Amino acid sequence: MKKNIVILISGRGSNMEAIVRGALPGGQIAAVIANRPDAAGLVFAHANGIDTAVVDHKVYASREAFDAALAEKIDGFSPDLVVLAGFMRVLTSAFVARYAGRLINIHPSLLPSFPGLHTHARALESGVKLHGATVHFVTADLDCGPIIIQAAVPVLDDDDEASLSARVLAQEHRIYPQAVRWFVEGRVELVAGRAKVSATSSGPEGWTVPLIEADTP
Ligand code: GRF
């Protein structure tokens, strides 16, 4: 049985697109759900024959009511994995608990640095020389869950927000499909609050996740 993946988006959906385009033996994108009717990524998903749905947060009186409606919609697709891909809503702890261990997010920084918004501007302002992106399990604390994979990029002297975010986004498009593939292959597990990846696997075309072997004495 293929594992069902439900992807949540709010806008452009380029990470969703990267996941859809990536080979996913053993998994299938069951649906793409947006919290905004005008989320541009819905067009790509629909054009690619993927079920789409909108659960408009503006229609709901509270965060709890929105999350309950969202969960009901998600559960209609029997998800094995729920993927937040530029989903710009803070989720309630009840929602997070419901999908514990099968809810992942991508964040455009090397967590635990720069949780929250405007990560690229904050990275530039702080003068860090390395920046990047992180795929992590979602827990009740924002941008704090166990880290599955990260990619780092240099921060160059002449970078501005646009150039830095583009460099990071290219890495997001590599690591997010990789993390989803690992999950589908059953290689990611939570051990003592940390995400453990059991073995290497080939990544997006031409790229292999390096296995760093411990030095032998
Ligand atoms: C990405 O940078 C992601 O890391 C952040 O929001 C952005 C969404 O971009 N959470 P897209 O919608 O996937 O193109």
Side-chain angles (χ1 to χ4, degrees):
M1 266 266 278
K2 288 201 169 192
K3 287 195 176 149
N4 285 327
I5 297 155
V6 172
I7 306 180
L8 306 188
I9 63 169
S10 293
R12 177 178 58 180
S14 70
N15 277 289
M16 175 270 297
E17 201 174 318
I19 293 165
V20 169
R21 289 188 195 281
L24 256 187
Q28 62 191 4
I29 311 301
V32 172
I33 302 174
N35 67 307
R36 298 171 58 107
D38 60 350
L42 290 171
V43 177
F44 170 86
H46 183 70
N48 280 269
I50 298 166
D51 276 348
T52 58
V54 174
V55 182
D56 186 350
H57 66 276
K58 291 201 183 114
V59 172
Y60 298 90
S62 66
R63 218 175 262 286
E64 286 73 20
F66 168 68
D67 279 11
L70 181 62
E72 198 183 325
K73 183 61 81 181
I74 293 170
D75 288 351
F77 295 99
S78 309
D80 297 291
L81 177 65
V82 179
V83 175
L84 307 181
F87 187 69
M88 302 304 283
R89 301 292 302 169
V90 174
L91 296 160
T92 57
S93 51
F95 182 97
V96 171
R98 184 187 190 101
Y99 300 105
R102 54 188 175 122
L103 180 62
I104 63 175
N105 181 45
I106 189 156
H107 183 76
S109 79
L110 289 174
L111 290 173
S113 293
F114 313 121
L117 297 173
H118 312 301
T119 55
H120 308 306
R122 287 157 63 205
L124 287 169
E125 205 179 294
S126 72
V128 291
K129 301 297 184 197
L130 282 176
H131 186 42
T134 303
V135 178
H136 63 96
F137 281 103
V138 176
T139 56
D141 297 321
L142 192 68
D143 301 329
C144 270
I147 291 169
I148 299 168
I149 187 170
Q150 294 183 301
V153 302
V155 179
L156 306 179
D157 287 344
D158 57 356
D159 265 333
D160 57 19
E161 225 179 308
S163 61
L164 184 56
S165 70
R167 193 174 305 120
V168 171
L169 192 64
Q171 296 305 314
E172 294 185 38
H173 295 166
R174 289 199 325 171
I175 64 174
Y176 217 1
Q178 177 68 81
V180 170
R181 189 172 309 115
W182 277 341
F183 190 94
V184 165
E185 291 170 352
R187 289 169 190 249
V188 189
E189 56 178 337
L190 280 168
V191 181
R194 290 192 191 181
K196 198 177 136 207
V197 179
S198 60
T200 58
S201 77
S202 60
E205 268 154 37
W207 183 65
T208 304
V209 181
L211 172 64
I212 300 164
E213 297 190 297
D215 283 343
T216 41

